[in-house]
Amino acid sequence: MRIDGLQYANWSEKIFRQLREGGVDAIHVTIAYHENFRETVLNFEKWNRWFEQYPDLIMKGLTAADIDVARATGRTAIFFGFQNPSPIEDDIGLVEIVHTLGARFMQLTYNNQSLLATGCYETEDAGLTRMGKQVVREMNRVGLVVDMSHSADRSTIEAAEVSERPIVVSHANPHDWAPALRNKRDDVIRAVTSHGGMLGFSVYPHHLRNKSACTLEDFCEMIARTAERYGAEHLGIGTDLCQDQPDSIVEWMRVGRWTKQIDYGEGSKSDAGFPPMPSWFKDNRDFENIENGLRATGLSETEVQGIMGGNWYRFFAENFGPQTNPDN
């Protein structure tokens, strides 16, 4: 089983076919960065048209059982998520609405301070806001997973502690391996995993040691060491693949509508666009490279299969539905 915890590709029939060639059974796709509620609804509509156009390649995913259907019918199950809470605007009631529409993940921040928490690029991290704590409670109730991939340290730790259900960092790597602002320090990863949450390893070059020149061996050894520290059962893949996207999209991701100035994020003025992917992971057909690389580290076959998809499957099965005994 192969499940990718996060991608934001420029979706097309070509990529849908590559998903099948790579044996990707399910994928969490970003359908909002800075969009408001109505704009996000238009993105749901766009995906509905793709489901109609390519029913032999992709299907909408709402529960882990949909992955079983996808596997049995040779398709990829598509699960939706937001990299920002902007789709719920300032209305907690929209949490249940977006879950009903099909969203299964929502980040509380995207780099900046939001109404809910602090992003990883802010100087001061005040943790979860009053609204943030209430939204986490509501997300727990309906089965919308809290994602803290772009959040600051204190906010992430507080989210793990406040949430009554496990949270995720869907796409990042350990900070002590590659000290990018987006990567996560030991106490953050420990807070997420000790509460039953998941860390998805990113292949986005700005998150890698030596960036685009990172070797497969180094990447897989990092995963093996992380498994020793936090437990392999809490780990998965979240590639953050942005395949075929024009550089204008990375500008939208970084700038949105919040500033008139260019923000280069993890890039720079001289390297403003998407960085080249490492040679061993160009697209979804390359998941086998990661799987074989993990085997070469000495991880057990059970651990390898868990990291490649089994752990995400279990997490989906336990967390996409309504809370069984909410504390009211």
Side-chain angles (χ1 to χ4, degrees):
M1 180 181 293
R2 291 176 183 169
I3 298 176
D4 193 341
L6 194 286
Q7 285 192 23
Y8 185 61
N10 188 4
W11 303 104
S12 64
E13 181 180 359
K14 180 189 81 172
I15 296 178
F16 297 148
R17 293 196 180 279
Q18 289 175 348
L19 284 166
R20 300 314 313 133
E21 292 177 55
V24 181
D25 300 301
I27 186 170
H28 163 204
V29 304
T30 295
I31 65 166
Y33 268 95
H34 305 285
E35 289 89 340
N36 62 26
F37 176 75
R38 178 56 182 154
E39 291 166 335
T40 303
V41 169
L42 295 178
N43 291 336
F44 279 112
E45 290 182 9
K46 183 187 298 183
W47 272 99
N48 283 345
R49 289 194 293 273
W50 282 329
F51 293 139
E52 290 182 12
Q53 288 177 301
Y54 307 109
D56 57 329
L57 299 175
I58 57 173
M59 59 173 280
K60 185 174 182 177
L62 296 174
T63 69
D66 291 318
I67 303 174
D68 299 325
V69 175
R71 284 166 57 84
T73 56
R75 294 180 287 173
T76 300
I78 306 295
F79 293 88
F80 297 133
F82 309 149
Q83 294 222 33
N84 211 339
S86 58
I88 69 164
E89 302 178 6
D90 60 355
D91 184 352
I92 195 171
L94 290 180
V95 170
E96 186 167 17
I97 298 298
V98 297
H99 183 271
T100 301
L101 290 173
R104 291 297 178 266
F105 295 88
M106 185 173 76
Q107 291 185 193
L108 300 193
T109 68
Y110 185 76
N111 297 337
N112 294 351
Q113 178 73 41
S114 75
L115 290 175
L116 310 182
T118 304
C120 61
Y121 285 2
E122 298 287 2
T123 303
E124 301 295 331
D125 179 6
L128 296 191
T129 65
R130 296 172 67 211
M131 181 177 179
K133 292 174 183 177
Q134 293 301 315
V135 167
V136 167
R137 182 185 179 95
E138 180 70 355
M139 292 172 72
N140 288 168
R141 185 182 72 83
V142 303
L144 184 62
V145 174
V146 175
D147 188 347
M148 301 299 283
S149 295
H150 284 258
S151 299
D153 293 356
R154 176 182 170 185
S155 290
T156 305
I157 292 170
E158 284 189 9
E161 294 173 345
V162 168
S163 179
E164 296 178 354
R165 304 180 78 169
I167 72 169
V168 304
V169 170
S170 63
H171 56 299
N173 296 318
H175 186 273
D176 61 5
W177 179 71
L181 283 174
R182 271 271 290 104
N183 283 341
K184 303 304 179 185
R185 299 176 191 276
D186 173 77
D187 56 344
V188 175
I189 300 175
R190 195 166 300 283
V192 172
T193 57
S194 67
H195 288 84
M198 287 280 295
L199 169 66
F201 295 103
S202 170
V203 187
Y204 190 66
H206 286 309
H207 306 158
L208 300 175
R209 183 154 65 185
N210 298 320
K211 299 194 173 183
S212 301
C214 181
T215 66
L216 175 63
E217 292 75 16
D218 195 5
F219 179 73
C220 291
E221 279 295 330
M222 175 271 293
I223 294 176
R225 302 291 77 78
T226 307
E228 290 176 354
R229 184 176 293 183
Y230 307 104
E233 68 274 16
H234 300 297
L235 309 178
I237 304 297
T239 62
D240 203 10
L241 180 66
C242 298
Q243 183 184 346
D244 294 348
Q245 293 282 20
D247 285 345
S248 59
I249 291 298
V250 77
E251 183 174 321
W252 163 248
M253 292 158 60
R254 293 167 176 168
V255 175
R257 289 179 288 243
W258 64 271
T259 177
K260 294 180 180 179
Q261 298 179 339
I262 297 298
D263 184 278
Y264 296 106
E266 294 162 306
S268 64
K269 186 175 182 179
S270 61
D271 186 21
F274 281 108
M277 295 296 290
S279 60
W280 42 271
F281 197 88
K282 297 290 189 182
D283 59 52
N284 286 289
R285 295 171 293 183
D286 291 331
F287 272 94
E288 186 173 4
N289 292 336
I290 297 177
E291 188 167 333
N292 290 335
L294 291 176
R295 290 193 180 102
T297 67
L299 287 168
S300 71
E301 189 62 23
T302 298
E303 290 172 326
V304 170
Q305 292 305 315
I307 293 168
M308 292 305 299
N311 295 336
W312 278 127
Y313 180 93
R314 183 191 66 249
F315 186 91
F316 289 9
E318 294 172 353
N319 292 288
F320 283 169
Q323 196 170 23
T324 52
N325 293 300
D327 180 12
N328 293 319

